[in-house]
Amino acid sequence: MKKKTGIIILARLTSKRLPRKHLLKILGLSIIEFLIERLKKIKLTDEIILATTNSRQDNELIDIAKKRNISFFRGDSKNVTRRVLMCSEKFSLKKICLITADCPIIDPELIEKMLIISKKNDNIDYINNAKLGLPNGMGCQVFSYTALKKSF
């Protein structure tokens, strides 16, 4: 069986500080649509999945996922790690690239480099770009399903 790699986008519309922020517009697209279109440039993944909550308020995010032709998963609103784990299991992911929808200016080339490192070195469980001095909005993590399950 092929080792599937997927990008999981974490998003919800019930933020306390800025509710519905993922629907604000950038260059004529909502932030979440802008992010999805940037992520579609990445060729080293098998699937892009929007992971949101079971809350009725997040139905708009599901509509966007359908419109943009990406997969979606609904899960726990309180336990994000559980939501990512259940999403990974549903889509049989072995490698996960996790991005929050708060990071719309993510660099597809940087993500591809991280995925290449992860694929070439199967014994690496976790990679992130936090120490590169990048501006907020460019954060990304790549990790194995095994490491996620063990940490959970």
Side-chain angles (χ1 to χ4, degrees):
M1 183 171 97
K2 182 181 178 208
K3 291 184 176 183
K4 281 181 68 177
T5 300
I7 297 173
I8 297 177
I9 305 168
L10 288 173
R12 63 185 174 87
L13 295 178
T14 56
S15 168
K16 297 284 186 250
R17 290 177 290 165
L18 185 55
R20 303 174 55 79
K21 64 186 165 194
H22 306 308
L23 302 180
L24 297 174
K25 300 288 184 183
I26 298 177
L27 300 173
L29 295 174
S30 67
I31 288 174
I32 191 76
E33 290 173 301
F34 185 82
L35 174 61
I36 290 167
E37 292 310 307
R38 290 182 65 78
L39 294 174
K40 283 183 174 181
K41 295 176 182 178
I42 299 167
K43 303 298 180 213
L44 297 175
T45 61
D46 300 301
E47 194 135 24
I48 299 174
I49 308 154
L50 175 71
T52 191
T53 74
N54 288 317
S55 170
R56 209 173 13 150
Q57 293 156 317
D58 290 325
N59 289 348
E60 285 179 84
L61 292 173
I62 299 302
D63 292 341
I64 290 170
K66 289 175 182 176
K67 176 182 163 190
R68 293 290 166 182
N69 220 11
I70 66 167
S71 300
F72 61 88
F73 176 83
R74 299 190 90 150
D76 199 315
S77 62
K78 303 274 189 246
N79 190 328
V80 176
T81 305
R82 181 175 174 76
R83 188 181 339 147
V84 173
L85 181 65
M86 298 294 109
C87 177
S88 301
E89 288 176 356
K90 178 181 178 186
F91 290 94
S92 303
L93 301 180
K94 298 301 175 205
K95 292 279 184 180
I96 298 121
C97 176
L98 186 65
I99 297 173
T100 66
D102 295 354
C103 296
I105 59 169
I106 198 76
D107 181 356
E109 287 182 31
L110 179 59
I111 293 173
E112 283 199 338
K113 287 177 184 176
M114 292 171 65
L115 289 168
I116 288 168
I117 291 167
S118 179
K119 286 183 179 202
K120 282 185 179 176
N121 304 286
D122 207 34
N123 59 333
I124 295 176
D125 285 328
Y126 179 81
I127 301 170
N128 76 48
N129 64 2
K131 299 284 185 188
L132 296 180
L134 299 169
N136 284 339
M138 296 187 78
C140 172
Q141 307 172 65
V142 176
F143 47 86
S144 68
Y145 168 78
T146 305
L148 174 63
K149 185 158 176 99
K150 194 182 297 183
S151 71
F152 184 72

